[in-house]
Amino acid sequence: MENGTMSSSFYFTLFKEFVHIRYVILTLTLTVYLAIIVCNAIILFVVFKERSLHEPMYILISCLSVNDLYGSAGFFPRLIADLLSDTNAISRPACFVQIFTIYSYAMSEYTILTLMAYDRYVAICNPLKYHKIMSLRLTARYMAMASFCVVFSMALVIFFSAKLPLCGTDVTRLYCSNWSVVRLSCGTSTLSNNILGFFVTTATVFLPAFFILYTYIRILIICQKSSKEFKGKALQTCLPHIVSFVNYSIASFCDIALSRNDSDKIKILTIIFSVEFLVIPPVLNPLIYGLNLPEIRKKIACLFRRSKIGHFIE
């Protein structure tokens, strides 16, 4: 390819290394994707069906499920198609659509976890002001503002990346990532892309992470000064959020740290962490909230009991 030409397609090169076990991977992929759809759909159905769960905390949990379904839709269908394909080619527009979907999912995950941490912080540290600060209307506004920031940030990233002249077509990942495309550029500086990427990562990952840590430290301080009963209830509602935050943070930070490393010695590790944040949270989140939060667990149990009774009557 000539320097500076725009490629019409990209090619995922990693699939060639797994061609001998691609049907095993395909089976696992279909199983995981189906589990993600079913588990998150149950959470959404229960939260929206039960009026008692129409509270900010549960609405944010349902937003997390919607986001997990959204991110999974940007990754799994394409992965399944590539496992069944011999060319593993993706068009340039489709590649940037996938970048937008996966990165906006990742940013939104942190945004929702941040709002969930703030919700718990207000409920535990300022309970008398909770309904004024975290009403359903204000929660919807927070989500709308956060979504706008995510879309605007990703539109900027895609705009700068799409303008780059490229001298290659090989993407060394299982999906299109921004860095895997930017690194193919030639004949022009990528400094502006790197600065923008650093700013967006700091604003949407590191700052929310520090804020979440701060809120949970404040919650723990309050719990230490409170009764055992209060401490137990507070930690019961916070534990699912903490587990989700820790799991997602580890996966995200490892992916960021390893994304620019091409060493063959850690290639497998890089591949694992590059997909972990797209696979584990969408599966783990509905299980955590469905099993650990009493209100959701009770409603899910009632739902299954009703379905069994209805089936028996029929």
Side-chain angles (χ1 to χ4, degrees):
M1 181 184 296
E2 294 182 8
N3 289 348
T5 59
M6 291 290 187
S7 59
S8 59
S9 297
F10 297 106
Y11 297 89
F12 298 116
T13 59
L14 284 179
F15 288 96
K16 295 177 182 178
E17 300 181 20
F18 304 107
V19 67
H20 56 291
I21 57 168
R22 64 176 176 176
Y23 291 111
V24 175
I25 299 175
L26 177 63
T27 303
L28 290 173
T29 301
L30 287 169
T31 302
V32 171
Y33 190 35
L34 181 62
I36 289 172
I37 293 173
V38 171
C39 292
N40 284 285
I42 290 174
I43 294 292
L44 285 171
F45 179 77
V46 169
V47 170
F48 282 99
K49 187 175 186 296
E50 300 295 335
R51 289 184 175 273
S52 61
L53 299 181
H54 291 182
E55 298 178 8
M57 181 175 75
Y58 301 110
I59 296 300
L60 289 172
I61 289 172
S62 65
C63 288
L64 200 64
S65 288
V66 170
N67 190 55
D68 288 339
L69 289 171
Y70 166 71
S72 300
F75 172 66
F76 281 96
R78 180 70 218 187
L79 177 63
I80 292 169
D82 283 318
L83 287 169
L84 294 172
S85 172
D86 294 324
T87 59
N88 307 126
I90 183 171
S91 68
R92 184 182 175 89
C95 185
F96 283 112
V97 168
Q98 188 175 49
I99 291 173
F100 180 90
T101 303
I102 290 176
Y103 279 63
S104 58
Y105 149 78
M107 294 178 188
S108 298
E109 196 84 354
Y110 258 117
T111 299
I112 298 168
L113 289 173
T114 302
L115 288 174
M116 292 170 79
Y118 182 64
D119 172 80
R120 291 301 85 204
Y121 169 76
V122 175
I124 295 169
C125 300
N126 295 288
L128 297 179
K129 297 181 180 179
Y130 177 77
H131 292 290
K132 183 178 181 180
I133 299 174
M134 290 300 295
S135 66
L136 288 177
R137 180 174 294 180
L138 283 174
T139 303
R141 287 181 183 176
Y142 295 149
M143 280 301 305
M145 290 172 59
S147 299
F148 173 79
C149 290
V150 168
V151 171
F152 179 75
S153 298
M154 277 312 304
L156 279 179
V157 171
I158 296 296
F159 175 76
F160 277 90
S161 298
K163 291 199 308 178
L164 292 173
L166 304 177
C167 294
T169 58
D170 291 345
V171 174
T172 55
R173 279 208 169 193
L174 297 178
Y175 58 88
C176 281
S177 68
N178 190 57
W179 173 244
S180 64
V181 173
V182 170
R183 66 186 299 183
L184 298 175
S185 66
C186 59
T188 185
S189 173
T190 59
L191 180 61
S192 58
N193 296 76
N194 291 330
I195 292 174
L196 177 62
F198 175 78
F199 176 78
V200 170
T201 302
T202 301
T204 60
V205 177
F206 292 108
L207 291 181
F210 285 126
F211 177 79
I212 292 170
L213 286 173
Y214 168 77
T215 58
Y216 286 131
I217 289 171
R218 292 288 301 164
I219 288 171
L220 289 174
I221 292 172
I222 294 294
C223 288
Q224 289 299 319
K225 300 177 182 178
S226 305
S227 64
K228 287 186 178 180
E229 184 180 357
F230 179 86
K231 186 189 300 184
K233 288 182 179 179
L235 292 178
Q236 186 179 42
T237 59
C238 289
L239 184 61
H241 309 317
I242 294 172
V243 173
S244 294
F245 168 67
V246 171
N247 169 68
Y248 191 74
S249 295
I250 291 173
S252 299
F253 293 153
C254 288
D255 179 49
I256 291 170
L258 296 173
S259 62
R260 303 193 179 199
N261 196 305
D262 295 327
S263 175
D264 290 333
K265 294 181 180 179
I266 61 171
K267 179 180 285 188
I268 296 299
L269 192 63
T270 304
I271 293 172
I272 292 172
F273 279 113
S274 71
V275 300
E276 199 270 354
F277 79 102
L278 288 162
V279 176
I280 303 301
V283 175
L284 192 63
N285 287 341
L287 295 179
I288 290 173
Y289 297 114
L291 296 176
N292 281 283
L293 293 180
E295 290 301 318
I296 292 182
R297 186 171 66 243
K298 289 176 185 176
K299 299 302 181 183
I300 291 176
C302 289
L303 175 66
F304 279 103
R305 275 201 294 270
R306 282 192 221 129
S307 63
K308 285 183 180 178
I309 292 172
H311 180 72
F312 179 77
I313 293 174
E314 289 177 1

